[in-house]
Amino acid sequence: MRIEKTVAIEALTAENANLDAQMASCVTQQETMQSTSCEEFGLSSAAYKAIDDRMQTRPLIISAHYLAYDSIKNS
């Protein structure tokens, strides 16, 4: 089997760029979720409280995605 070294390096470089973009997106999403609250807009019913609670758990999921992308990139 023959491997074209330059083609492989280009493909890996492109993949790492895509992973970097995904990781940056994770950071942005996490910051947005952590800094947004329904209460700041005067919305305080039980439904909005449930939305706020859900928004506070999403950064953990986003963090897991970030770590997965980082692991793929560094493997």
Side-chain angles (χ1 to χ4, degrees):
M1 179 176 186
R2 186 175 187 159
I3 297 174
E4 295 291 332
K5 184 177 175 183
T6 56
V7 174
I9 290 172
E10 289 172 359
L12 289 172
T13 301
E15 183 64 23
N16 280 340
N18 288 336
L19 289 169
D20 284 336
Q22 288 294 330
M23 290 167 69
S25 177
C26 285
V27 170
T28 303
Q29 290 173 20
Q30 195 170 27
E31 289 171 352
T32 300
M33 289 295 218
Q34 290 174 330
S35 67
T36 303
S37 170
C38 292
E39 285 185 18
E40 70 184 78
F41 299 106
L43 306 171
S44 58
S45 71
Y48 291 117
K49 172 87 170 95
I51 291 170
D52 275 343
D53 290 345
R54 181 168 286 238
M55 282 195 302
Q56 295 307 312
T57 61
R58 293 300 180 202
L60 297 173
I61 297 167
I62 295 167
S63 181
H65 288 161
Y66 180 94
L67 293 173
Y69 296 140
D70 189 48
S71 178
I72 292 167
K73 182 180 171 191
N74 291 318
S75 61

